[in-house]
Amino acid sequence: MKNTVKRIHFVLIIMMIMIGVLVGRMAQIQLIDTESFSKEKINLIESSVKQRTQEMILNDGRGQFTDKNGVPLTVQKERRLVVFPFVKEMTWPKEKVASIMQHTSATLDEQINTLDKPAVIGETLTSEQAKEINALKIPGVFALNVQKKVKNPVAEQLIGITGENKNVMTKRYNKKVNDGELSINTPIGVSGLQSSFDEFLIPEQESKLLYHVDRRGGPLFGIEVKYTGAGNPFYPVSVQTTIDSSIQQKMENILDEHALKEGGAVLLDIDTNEVVAMTSRPHINQQRSSGVGNRMLVPQVPGSVFKTVIAAAAIDSGIDTYKRTFNCDLDIYNKLEKQAKRKGMLNFQDSFAESCNYTFGTVAKEMVKENKTIIDEYANKLGLVDPVGWQGDVFHFDDFKQFDNEGKGIIWHQDKASTYSKEIAQTAIGQRDVRVTPLAVANMMATIARGGEKKQVRVVDRIQYKNGATLYTFQPQKLQGDHIAPYTAIRLRQLLKEVVDHPKGTGRRFQSLAVQVAGKSGTADIRAVEGKNTNIINKWFAGYFPANHPKYALVVVDLNTESSTTPTNAVFYDIVNTLYPK
């Protein structure tokens, strides 16, 4: 008997514990963690409301990007007809609405009868059409400004993408998520400017129309549609870039016409050092999030473009480059080049124009013998090592950077490499360990064209409130560190012009353009791709124009391509020709 009583007591205790756990769980769900349930930070109230609410989002509340003239780059507003499904059960003047829209009522009926949630119907409306429709005051039928993604957006890798990332959301906005100000599922910037400027762009509140429905989708509290939206006149903000969307679109088209698969182009305004256009390939695959990286910010093997650094060092070092000639039948290892590559005896200027490897390998070894760090010094003076994008303190953001994940240049992987003759020669022609970003190369050309003045590259001019007032302006800033002398810049400009003007110059193709171009070509052999020796190369052309009164600096690079199919020079030619047609 005693054992039976004990078993009953035991069972009752277990049941009480289970009931206590259940009550605790109910309290957690109903009272305690209603807006931040579980590690997923689920807003239970919001989820519950969504189950019995149909809504039409007019604006997601996220800040947007514009070009330098205020042209939308990511989203735009359109006047559209918004219709809620419950109108199917109503009698309303659909013939009148169809007439205003210049449709037939049958066409309108066909579109509405398939609705099971609020949707946009028909084409863009004029302001007069919208005014006439709204004057009818039909429940569930509205002519409103609706946010719409820009079709085929330009500068997609530069602007970047957004997406849901609960881990990053929790880490970056933990307090706002815990306070219920943001949902754990709020899209955030994943790459590009969307990521760099995310804390300015994150939405305060969506603007939407909503109504409550029963389990069959019918109106729960009548047919009144409610509007909810941010009442703040300052948000969301817009980020005004320095991009010229017209030039950007033309540059995008040129790359696509020439089927440049991997690489891209950077166009800078030399006076302001702002990005006028920047495009990267491959295109972004939104479904798989591939192609997201901006190749213009990733260090690449530059090939002979790097000879510009060696030339700058040679001009200043005292090495005699005026009277000497160099045996350009030889390669950097003092062996005979293939017959097609032999150039004979050339002076320093002709060596630069025809891109003689022997000359620059020889000169580099002589300079390093006198000063072991001379290549590093001039790479830094020309801005090829450290990031060149705008950075500085912005409000409470210390060392804010406009460019997301801009890479640093590399000259040597190991200090000892700079003491070996073979490695020095390879470095002098932009091979071996050398890696620089196309943005930094464009900035180098702009620096030379300005007479040696180094500036940070801006891609965003300002952040503006919704009412048009300015929240913050990114002022031009100098790039820190030593720079080349004006005399050195003058000599470099002469060498860069000769690359195009010389009868055998590697840029002679550009002689037929309407304006004179100065620049440097580069061909970098990419060995051991997937463990095999291949003929894969990086093909560059970097320069500025018009040569005598520089306005633009331009870099085009075709990465990991076969030498017989590279369109680099054709792309460079067409971009210049677009800006300065004959």
Side-chain angles (χ1 to χ4, degrees), residues 233-295:
F234 299 105
Y235 292 92
V237 301
S238 63
V239 176
Q240 186 178 65
T241 70
T242 62
I243 297 294
D244 185 315
S245 57
S246 175
I247 295 175
Q248 177 75 36
Q249 185 63 69
K250 291 173 183 176
M251 197 159 85
E252 302 264 3
N253 294 342
I254 289 169
L255 262 69
D256 290 339
E257 287 166 8
H258 290 283
L260 196 152
K261 295 180 180 178
E262 184 178 356
V266 182
L267 182 69
L268 301 182
D269 182 299
I270 290 172
D271 183 46
T272 63
N273 221 43
E274 295 172 348
V275 177
V276 178
M278 178 186 288
T279 186
S280 174
R281 294 292 181 271
H283 285 288
I284 293 177
N285 185 320
Q286 297 285 355
Q287 283 70 42
R288 294 186 307 212
S289 293
S290 61
V292 170
N294 188 343
R295 300 298 194 275

XYZ file of all heavy atoms in Angstrom, residues 233-295:
485
model
N 10.300 62.468 -41.600
C 10.519 63.143 -42.886
C 11.949 63.038 -43.385
O 12.246 63.444 -44.507
C 10.166 64.601 -42.571
C 10.472 64.748 -41.119
C 10.128 63.421 -40.493
N 12.863 62.493 -42.563
C 14.273 62.457 -42.940
C 14.727 61.110 -43.500
O 15.755 61.014 -44.149
C 15.142 62.808 -41.729
C 14.879 64.180 -41.179
C 14.165 64.348 -40.003
C 15.326 65.314 -41.835
C 13.908 65.614 -39.488
C 15.074 66.579 -41.347
C 14.363 66.737 -40.170
N 13.971 60.050 -43.215
C 14.390 58.706 -43.629
C 13.315 58.049 -44.493
O 12.135 58.324 -44.314
C 14.675 57.847 -42.390
C 15.890 58.309 -41.625
C 15.757 59.227 -40.583
C 17.167 57.861 -41.966
C 16.868 59.675 -39.887
C 18.282 58.306 -41.267
C 18.124 59.213 -40.225
O 19.227 59.661 -39.547
N 13.744 57.177 -45.422
C 15.102 56.698 -45.659
C 15.970 57.711 -46.404
O 15.457 58.569 -47.122
C 14.886 55.444 -46.519
C 13.607 55.730 -47.257
C 12.758 56.503 -46.290
N 17.284 57.554 -46.248
C 18.228 58.447 -46.899
C 18.524 57.943 -48.306
O 18.171 56.822 -48.679
C 19.539 58.543 -46.100
C 19.293 59.049 -44.689
C 20.278 57.208 -46.090
N 19.185 58.785 -49.071
C 19.717 58.352 -50.368
C 21.210 58.645 -50.395
O 21.661 59.660 -49.848
C 19.019 59.074 -51.530
O 19.248 60.465 -51.474
N 21.967 57.736 -50.999
C 23.413 57.878 -51.128
C 23.706 58.319 -52.553
O 23.449 57.577 -53.504
C 24.129 56.552 -50.807
C 25.625 56.678 -51.040
C 23.854 56.132 -49.366
N 24.226 59.542 -52.674
C 24.514 60.079 -54.012
C 25.945 59.725 -54.393
O 26.902 60.206 -53.805
C 24.326 61.595 -54.046
C 24.462 62.185 -55.444
C 24.224 63.683 -55.454
O 24.973 64.450 -54.865
N 23.178 64.096 -56.134
N 26.085 58.864 -55.382
C 27.405 58.445 -55.834
C 27.980 59.473 -56.813
O 27.300 60.432 -57.199
C 27.347 57.072 -56.524
O 26.658 57.205 -57.783
C 26.628 56.053 -55.644
N 29.211 59.246 -57.228
C 29.858 60.108 -58.230
C 29.684 59.534 -59.630
O 30.179 60.106 -60.601
C 31.358 60.239 -57.923
O 31.964 58.936 -57.996
C 31.588 60.817 -56.538
N 28.981 58.411 -59.734
C 28.800 57.727 -61.015
C 27.967 58.574 -61.975
O 26.963 59.176 -61.579
C 28.091 56.373 -60.794
C 28.948 55.442 -59.947
C 27.733 55.712 -62.113
C 30.223 55.015 -60.598
N 28.380 58.629 -63.231
C 27.552 59.184 -64.297
C 26.859 58.000 -64.955
O 27.499 57.202 -65.659
C 28.430 59.928 -65.315
C 27.618 60.630 -66.389
O 26.679 60.005 -66.925
O 27.925 61.790 -66.722
N 25.557 57.839 -64.700
C 24.860 56.626 -65.136
C 24.840 56.478 -66.657
O 24.824 55.355 -67.171
C 23.428 56.610 -64.590
O 22.713 57.761 -64.977
N 24.859 57.588 -67.382
C 24.877 57.518 -68.842
C 26.192 56.918 -69.338
O 26.212 56.005 -70.178
C 24.680 58.912 -69.444
O 24.816 58.877 -70.849
N 27.312 57.420 -68.808
C 28.626 56.884 -69.188
C 28.767 55.451 -68.694
O 29.304 54.582 -69.396
C 29.754 57.771 -68.627
C 29.698 59.165 -69.272
C 31.119 57.140 -68.844
C 30.695 60.161 -68.698
N 28.285 55.196 -67.483
C 28.349 53.847 -66.914
C 27.635 52.847 -67.815
O 28.161 51.769 -68.101
C 27.713 53.832 -65.519
C 27.652 52.474 -64.870
C 28.977 51.983 -64.346
O 29.775 52.771 -63.854
N 29.231 50.692 -64.441
N 26.441 53.196 -68.282
C 25.685 52.290 -69.140
C 26.412 52.032 -70.453
O 26.457 50.893 -70.945
C 24.296 52.865 -69.425
C 23.386 51.931 -70.224
C 23.082 50.656 -69.482
O 22.378 50.663 -68.472
N 23.601 49.528 -69.956
N 27.007 53.072 -71.018
C 27.755 52.907 -72.273
C 28.957 51.993 -72.069
O 29.268 51.154 -72.929
C 28.193 54.268 -72.802
C 27.045 55.135 -73.298
C 27.508 56.540 -73.652
C 26.320 57.412 -74.078
N 26.741 58.826 -74.334
N 29.622 52.151 -70.930
C 30.786 51.315 -70.651
C 30.377 49.855 -70.448
O 31.046 48.934 -70.914
C 31.535 51.838 -69.416
C 32.952 51.318 -69.287
S 33.982 52.356 -68.225
C 33.563 51.686 -66.615
N 29.248 49.648 -69.754
C 28.713 48.293 -69.582
C 28.442 47.652 -70.947
O 28.779 46.488 -71.189
C 27.407 48.334 -68.777
C 27.502 48.965 -67.405
C 27.693 47.950 -66.288
O 27.806 46.748 -66.600
O 27.733 48.370 -65.131
N 27.813 48.414 -71.832
C 27.469 47.895 -73.157
C 28.707 47.502 -73.946
O 28.721 46.484 -74.648
C 26.652 48.928 -73.943
C 25.281 49.184 -73.327
O 24.788 48.398 -72.527
N 24.668 50.296 -73.685
N 29.753 48.325 -73.834
C 30.988 48.055 -74.586
C 31.626 46.753 -74.110
O 32.064 45.924 -74.918
C 31.965 49.239 -74.446
C 31.437 50.450 -75.220
C 33.363 48.861 -74.953
C 32.183 51.746 -74.950
N 31.678 46.549 -72.796
C 32.248 45.299 -72.275
C 31.455 44.094 -72.750
O 32.033 43.057 -73.104
C 32.287 45.335 -70.744
C 33.620 45.733 -70.108
C 33.934 47.201 -70.375
C 33.636 45.473 -68.621
N 30.127 44.226 -72.775
C 29.290 43.115 -73.211
C 29.428 42.865 -74.716
O 29.442 41.718 -75.170
C 27.832 43.369 -72.845
C 27.583 43.289 -71.343
O 28.403 42.668 -70.636
O 26.579 43.861 -70.877
N 29.531 43.943 -75.492
C 29.687 43.798 -76.940
C 30.965 43.048 -77.291
O 31.013 42.287 -78.266
C 29.698 45.176 -77.609
C 28.329 45.848 -77.659
C 28.419 47.328 -78.012
O 29.540 47.788 -78.358
O 27.396 48.029 -77.934
N 32.015 43.262 -76.503
C 33.300 42.602 -76.763
C 33.450 41.304 -75.978
O 34.530 40.699 -75.977
C 34.453 43.549 -76.443
C 34.577 44.692 -77.416
N 35.121 44.538 -78.666
C 34.197 45.992 -77.323
C 35.100 45.704 -79.302
N 34.538 46.601 -78.511
N 32.388 40.900 -75.280
C 32.350 39.617 -74.563
C 33.506 39.466 -73.583
O 34.117 38.398 -73.489
C 32.335 38.465 -75.566
N 33.793 40.537 -72.847
C 34.822 40.444 -71.814
C 34.215 39.672 -70.632
O 33.295 40.145 -69.984
C 35.274 41.842 -71.383
C 36.583 41.903 -70.603
C 37.286 43.241 -70.820
C 36.374 41.677 -69.116
N 34.736 38.487 -70.387
C 34.102 37.565 -69.432
C 34.541 37.789 -67.996
O 33.758 37.633 -67.060
C 34.396 36.123 -69.841
C 33.775 35.741 -71.173
C 34.098 34.309 -71.539
C 33.466 33.928 -72.877
N 33.807 32.533 -73.279
N 35.821 38.121 -67.782
C 36.329 38.335 -66.429
C 37.294 39.511 -66.443
O 38.247 39.526 -67.233
C 37.036 37.089 -65.898
C 37.489 37.235 -64.452
C 38.144 35.980 -63.906
O 38.178 34.960 -64.616
O 38.636 36.030 -62.768
N 37.045 40.476 -65.581
C 37.867 41.693 -65.560
C 36.981 42.903 -65.417
O 36.029 42.895 -64.641
N 37.268 43.951 -66.192
C 36.421 45.130 -66.131
C 37.159 46.395 -66.490
O 38.226 46.362 -67.121
N 36.583 47.524 -66.061
C 37.139 48.830 -66.397
C 36.831 49.835 -65.291
O 35.800 49.737 -64.623
C 36.563 49.322 -67.733
N 37.747 50.784 -65.116
C 37.586 51.869 -64.147
C 37.868 53.182 -64.861
O 38.895 53.321 -65.530
C 38.568 51.745 -62.963
C 38.334 52.873 -61.960
C 38.454 50.407 -62.286
N 36.951 54.141 -64.715
C 37.116 55.469 -65.308
C 37.064 56.506 -64.193
O 36.087 56.571 -63.448
C 36.008 55.735 -66.326
C 36.066 57.067 -67.087
C 37.255 57.090 -68.054
C 34.767 57.327 -67.831
N 38.137 57.299 -64.055
C 38.211 58.333 -63.022
C 38.227 59.718 -63.648
O 38.791 59.918 -64.732
C 39.485 58.180 -62.178
C 39.711 56.874 -61.423
C 41.006 56.971 -60.608
C 38.541 56.549 -60.520
N 37.626 60.679 -62.955
C 37.778 62.095 -63.295
C 39.083 62.554 -62.653
O 39.233 62.510 -61.431
C 36.595 62.899 -62.754
C 36.666 64.369 -63.125
O 37.636 65.033 -62.713
O 35.753 64.860 -63.810
N 40.044 62.974 -63.463
C 41.382 63.276 -62.946
C 41.379 64.469 -61.999
O 42.067 64.460 -60.971
C 42.361 63.509 -64.118
C 42.622 62.180 -64.830
C 43.674 64.136 -63.635
C 43.416 62.286 -66.103
N 40.604 65.491 -62.289
C 40.587 66.693 -61.453
C 40.034 66.397 -60.059
O 40.635 66.778 -59.046
C 39.772 67.791 -62.131
C 39.781 69.088 -61.330
O 40.862 69.490 -60.884
O 38.706 69.686 -61.156
N 38.901 65.716 -59.983
C 38.251 65.462 -58.691
C 38.660 64.123 -58.076
O 38.426 63.884 -56.891
C 36.724 65.463 -58.857
O 36.340 64.390 -59.746
C 36.237 66.789 -59.426
N 39.260 63.255 -58.887
C 39.617 61.886 -58.486
C 38.390 61.088 -58.035
O 38.445 60.284 -57.108
C 40.676 61.864 -57.393
C 41.711 60.764 -57.641
O 42.159 60.571 -58.765
N 42.082 60.034 -56.606
N 37.280 61.303 -58.722
C 36.040 60.579 -58.458
C 35.840 59.489 -59.504
O 36.265 59.627 -60.656
C 34.846 61.534 -58.500
C 34.867 62.589 -57.412
C 33.782 63.633 -57.595
O 33.148 63.679 -58.671
O 33.577 64.418 -56.650
N 35.169 58.430 -59.101
C 34.814 57.361 -60.034
C 33.667 57.849 -60.913
O 32.586 58.176 -60.410
C 34.390 56.083 -59.290
C 33.944 55.012 -60.284
C 35.527 55.559 -58.424
N 33.905 57.902 -62.206
C 32.859 58.254 -63.166
C 32.087 57.001 -63.569
O 30.867 57.020 -63.726
C 33.466 58.931 -64.412
C 32.384 59.266 -65.438
C 34.230 60.188 -64.017
N 32.806 55.905 -63.715
C 32.179 54.618 -64.054
C 33.117 53.505 -63.610
O 34.337 53.645 -63.664
C 31.904 54.523 -65.555
N 32.525 52.422 -63.157
C 33.295 51.232 -62.770
C 32.442 50.015 -63.044
O 31.306 49.943 -62.588
C 33.684 51.277 -61.294
C 34.445 50.042 -60.820
S 34.756 50.010 -59.028
C 36.000 51.287 -58.879
N 33.000 49.084 -63.806
C 32.239 47.874 -64.111
C 33.135 46.655 -63.976
O 34.330 46.717 -64.239
C 31.623 47.943 -65.519
O 30.782 46.825 -65.736
C 32.687 48.007 -66.592
N 32.530 45.563 -63.534
C 33.278 44.342 -63.286
C 32.530 43.166 -63.899
O 31.313 43.163 -63.981
C 33.436 44.134 -61.767
O 34.038 42.886 -61.474
N 33.291 42.208 -64.354
C 32.723 40.979 -64.894
C 33.350 39.790 -64.183
O 34.497 39.871 -63.778
C 32.962 40.874 -66.419
C 32.220 41.925 -67.243
C 30.710 41.678 -67.172
N 29.959 42.639 -67.963
C 29.521 43.819 -67.519
N 29.774 44.177 -66.269
N 28.846 44.629 -68.283
N 32.605 38.683 -63.978
C 31.305 38.366 -64.575
C 30.146 39.098 -63.897
O 30.317 39.653 -62.810
C 31.187 36.851 -64.344
C 31.993 36.601 -63.113
C 33.142 37.564 -63.189
N 28.989 39.067 -64.569
C 27.775 39.626 -63.997
C 27.406 38.866 -62.727
O 27.776 37.701 -62.549
C 26.608 39.515 -64.992
C 26.677 40.499 -66.117
N 26.431 41.840 -65.955
C 26.957 40.320 -67.437
C 26.556 42.461 -67.121
N 26.883 41.559 -68.036
N 26.651 39.528 -61.855
C 26.170 38.869 -60.644
C 25.052 37.899 -61.000
O 24.107 38.262 -61.706
C 25.648 39.898 -59.623
C 26.808 40.757 -59.098
C 24.947 39.210 -58.466
C 26.370 41.844 -58.132
N 25.176 36.676 -60.513
C 24.086 35.706 -60.615
C 23.291 35.794 -59.315
O 23.726 35.316 -58.276
C 24.639 34.288 -60.808
C 23.549 33.259 -61.035
O 22.497 33.310 -60.390
N 23.783 32.328 -61.938
N 22.137 36.463 -59.355
C 21.360 36.720 -58.153
C 20.883 35.428 -57.490
O 20.736 35.369 -56.267
C 20.145 37.597 -58.491
C 20.498 38.981 -59.011
C 20.980 39.916 -57.914
O 20.976 39.569 -56.752
N 21.404 41.107 -58.302
N 20.641 34.387 -58.285
C 20.131 33.144 -57.720
C 21.189 32.411 -56.895
O 20.915 31.838 -55.856
C 19.617 32.212 -58.833
C 18.268 32.608 -59.393
C 18.307 33.892 -60.208
O 19.229 34.097 -60.990
N 17.330 34.755 -60.021
N 22.443 32.487 -57.364
C 23.494 31.747 -56.673
C 24.473 32.676 -55.963
O 25.437 32.233 -55.369
C 24.273 30.888 -57.670
C 23.445 29.779 -58.293
C 24.295 28.884 -59.162
N 25.059 29.640 -60.145
C 25.382 29.187 -61.337
N 25.002 27.986 -61.712
N 26.081 29.912 -62.176
N 24.233 33.993 -56.065
C 25.115 35.009 -55.468
C 26.558 34.846 -55.944
O 27.494 35.161 -55.217
C 25.066 34.940 -53.934
O 23.800 35.331 -53.485
N 26.758 34.354 -57.169
C 28.104 34.259 -57.723
C 28.398 35.514 -58.540
O 27.487 36.219 -58.961
C 28.240 33.014 -58.600
O 27.338 33.074 -59.687
N 29.684 35.776 -58.765
C 30.072 36.971 -59.497
C 29.888 38.241 -58.702
O 29.893 39.340 -59.241
N 29.710 38.099 -57.367
C 29.443 39.270 -56.532
C 30.685 40.135 -56.377
O 30.619 41.354 -56.329
C 28.931 38.823 -55.135
C 28.873 40.001 -54.183
C 27.558 38.193 -55.275
N 31.868 39.517 -56.296
C 33.101 40.259 -56.047
C 33.412 41.267 -57.136
O 33.236 40.984 -58.331
N 33.896 42.442 -56.739
C 34.270 43.492 -57.677
C 35.735 43.317 -58.047
O 36.634 43.598 -57.253
C 34.036 44.861 -57.038
C 34.206 46.004 -58.019
O 34.790 45.838 -59.101
N 33.714 47.169 -57.661
N 35.995 42.839 -59.265
C 37.367 42.557 -59.695
C 38.247 43.812 -59.710
O 39.471 43.711 -59.654
C 37.370 41.932 -61.096
C 36.621 40.624 -61.243
C 37.209 39.523 -60.372
N 36.713 38.208 -60.747
C 35.588 37.663 -60.320
N 34.812 38.331 -59.479
N 35.217 36.452 -60.702
